[in-house]
Amino acid sequence: MSEIKKLPILDLSRAFKDIHAEVSEAVERVLNSQAFILGPEVKNFETHVENYLDLQPENAIGCASGSDALLLALMALDLKPGDEVITTPFTFFATASAITRLGARPVFVDVDPATYNIDLNQALNKINNNTKVFLPVHLFGQTVPIEKIYDELKSRDIKIVEDAAQSFGAWRKVNGSIARAGVMGDVGCYSFFPTKNLGACGDGGMIVTRDAKLAARLRKLRVHGEGSTYYHEEVGLNSRLDAIQAAILDVKLKYLESWNKQRRELAANYKNLFNNYNLNDFITPPSELEDNYHIYHQYVIRVKDRRDELMQYLEANNFITRVYYPLCLHMQTCFKFLNYKPGDFPTAEKLSSEVLALPIFPGLLSSEQERLVSKIKEFFK
Ligand SMILES: *Cc1c(COP(=O)(O)O)cnc(C)c1O
């Protein structure tokens, strides 16, 4: 008898099998060229991203990771010790470490319980003379309505750096036109970590901007602040996108829209299943704001009181779920020096005890979703 297979939170192999040959061909091309750092493959991918995001040439800059994209963005904005950056405590660690690495202070703001994204009114209340940057995170694939506070931020000369690591391809309608995650503010940061919606076969990241001067500075900063070869105008990083990763990402970019569409269909199917199984008294599905093209990097439900128990029950039944994120950033040991305490951000803290991410990825079958949801029903019965 064959062993029952676990359904993982993410199975990358399902979407990959359809493009395996095409990716292999791209990798082979780079191997034959023996040009591995920057060069035409990176340039080509950057150009395709510029086209996709409707940016001018040279305004997309590949780099080594999403974490580096954030760090480079803040370096390019001259963030210094004493400066403050308003951001969310309910996100992946790298959002805040980019700030503290430069000696600046993350000023956390609680989140909106419906979208899990930063609460914009509370963000405005935290602005003072030290505030240099507003750093919203388009969490789990849903955009932050930055336009609501855009003018206010601009009038106070505060830069907007978007952490769009989880939202490449997400957008919202603003005044009738499409505003994409990453290009709503001054600088956008993407990650191509393998698990992201657009994922490489290793680490990778990208920074985008509409400001040509800033773009030129970012291009220097990713190669040790080099002006001409071996002449350094400032201290940058070694943070380049590999040619192999760029070639792979360029293949995957063509499929991104259809993969994101599939994620949305899977999300809609979860919602229907929760209705059909009458589960809405026990769990809260993620809410998608009006005019938002949520790309469901993660499908994160809320479970009152019994989250961990449910997670164990599902695992015992071969369904793997995950908690993003179990500990808010203001409660992390390494950020003790910021002097936050439990209770400072009640919504974010409550979410960390209630959220549960269910499997969602291209190639997930609706029959698998149904089996999973029926197990959730069984648990609550
Ligand atoms: C993944 C992620 C990052 C970091 O990206 P890496 O490529 O892993 O360095 C930053 N912020 C958020 C919100 C992320 O999800």
Side-chain angles (χ1 to χ4, degrees):
M1 214 173 84
S2 72
E3 208 184 317
I4 294 171
K5 269 195 69 177
K6 276 193 185 344
L7 181 70
I9 182 84
L10 171 63
D11 182 354
L12 288 170
S13 65
R14 295 196 193 177
F16 188 69
K17 69 176 173 7
D18 297 333
I19 61 166
H20 193 151
E22 217 182 327
V23 168
S24 294
E25 206 175 291
V27 171
E28 192 67 18
R29 186 177 69 234
V30 179
L31 291 177
N32 285 327
S33 79
Q34 289 290 300
F36 299 116
I37 305 294
L38 297 175
E41 295 288 349
V42 172
K43 177 86 207 153
N44 183 52
F45 176 58
E46 286 173 344
T47 300
H48 290 154
V49 170
E50 284 152 4
N51 295 342
Y52 179 76
L53 297 171
D54 201 15
L55 291 172
Q56 294 297 311
E58 309 279 315
N59 283 353
I61 300 110
C63 65
S65 69
S67 304
D68 274 6
L70 289 160
L71 184 58
L72 286 162
L74 296 177
M75 286 169 77
L77 294 173
D78 294 311
L79 196 73
K80 287 190 233 359
D83 290 344
E84 295 185 1
V85 178
I86 295 175
T87 192
T88 166
F90 194 65
T91 175
F92 178 62
F93 178 70
T95 309
S97 62
I99 302 165
T100 57
R101 208 174 268 285
L102 296 174
R105 184 183 172 88
V107 173
F108 295 121
V109 167
D110 211 351
V111 297
D112 167 7
T115 61
Y116 319 141
N117 276 330
I118 191 165
D119 182 308
L120 296 176
N121 289 322
Q122 293 188 50
L124 286 181
N125 289 336
K126 289 286 157 106
I127 295 176
N128 63 37
N129 290 336
N130 296 323
T131 309
K132 291 286 147 58
V133 173
F134 173 58
L135 205 175
V137 179
H138 303 293
L139 199 70
F140 303 145
Q142 175 150 248
T143 56
V144 175
I146 296 173
E147 74 281 358
K148 290 192 174 148
I149 63 167
Y150 186 91
D151 290 342
E152 179 90 22
L153 293 170
K154 289 294 120 183
S155 73
R156 300 189 190 200
D157 203 25
I158 294 165
K159 300 289 184 193
I160 303 167
V161 174
E162 300 169 64
D163 183 339
Q166 303 185 357
S167 288
F168 196 112
W171 51 264
R172 50 188 292 99
K173 276 251 183 74
V174 180
N175 300 327
S177 49
I178 286 174
R180 287 191 185 272
V183 291
M184 299 176 183
D186 296 289
V187 192
C189 303
Y190 302 106
S191 164
F192 304 127
F193 188 77
T195 61
K196 305 288 156 105
N197 288 34
L198 180 61
C201 298
D203 278 304
M206 189 163 274
I207 316 141
V208 296
T209 178
R210 294 185 196 280
D211 180 336
K213 262 172 89 176
L214 207 57
R217 176 123 184 249
L218 284 162
R219 257 169 221 286
K220 277 188 207 164
L221 284 170
R222 76 173 167 180
V223 286
H224 299 291
E226 208 171 59
S228 54
T229 308
Y230 302 132
Y231 289 79
H232 299 267
E233 294 166 356
E234 60 181 318
V235 179
L237 302 181
N238 171 9
S239 182
R240 299 167 293 221
L241 181 63
D242 282 354
I244 286 185
Q245 299 307 339
I248 294 168
L249 287 163
D250 199 53
V251 170
K252 288 191 162 188
L253 182 60
K254 291 185 291 186
Y255 297 92
L256 181 70
E257 291 278 314
S258 75
W259 287 336
N260 283 345
K261 188 164 161 273
Q262 220 190 106
R263 285 173 183 270
R264 289 175 57 76
E265 285 159 9
L266 292 165
N269 193 40
Y270 269 132
K271 207 168 178 185
N272 284 337
L273 288 167
F274 294 147
N275 286 333
N276 297 346
Y277 282 83
N278 285 316
L279 278 166
N280 292 325
D281 289 340
F282 306 101
I283 59 134
T284 312
S287 45
E288 177 169 335
L289 293 191
E290 213 187 323
D291 285 339
N292 231 310
Y293 193 81
H294 193 325
I295 56 166
Y296 295 96
H297 170 60
Q298 299 295 348
Y299 188 85
V300 177
I301 64 170
R302 293 178 67 173
V303 187
K304 253 194 160 40
D305 307 324
R306 301 178 67 194
R307 193 263 320 267
D308 293 344
E309 242 182 291
L310 172 61
M311 200 176 167
Q312 280 162 19
Y313 184 81
L314 292 173
E315 173 145 20
N317 285 284
N318 295 305
F319 291 101
I320 307 303
T321 57
R322 292 283 279 275
V323 173
Y324 306 112
Y325 295 92
L327 187 64
C328 293
L329 296 189
H330 68 289
M331 300 304 300
Q332 299 285 348
T333 305
C334 66
F335 290 147
K336 269 209 169 109
F337 70 96
L338 295 170
N339 288 320
Y340 285 106
K341 56 183 191 311
D344 280 347
F345 306 109
T347 305
E349 289 167 36
K350 197 168 172 38
L351 286 176
S352 48
S353 70
E354 293 186 356
V355 287
L356 189 65
L358 306 183
I360 191 159
F361 49 84
L364 178 67
L365 304 174
S366 59
S367 57
E368 291 170 318
Q369 290 183 289
E370 173 130 27
R371 279 199 292 119
L372 169 57
V373 174
S374 73
K375 285 292 166 194
I376 296 177
K377 179 72 181 179
E378 203 175 278
F379 172 79
F380 283 112
K381 244 196 331 222

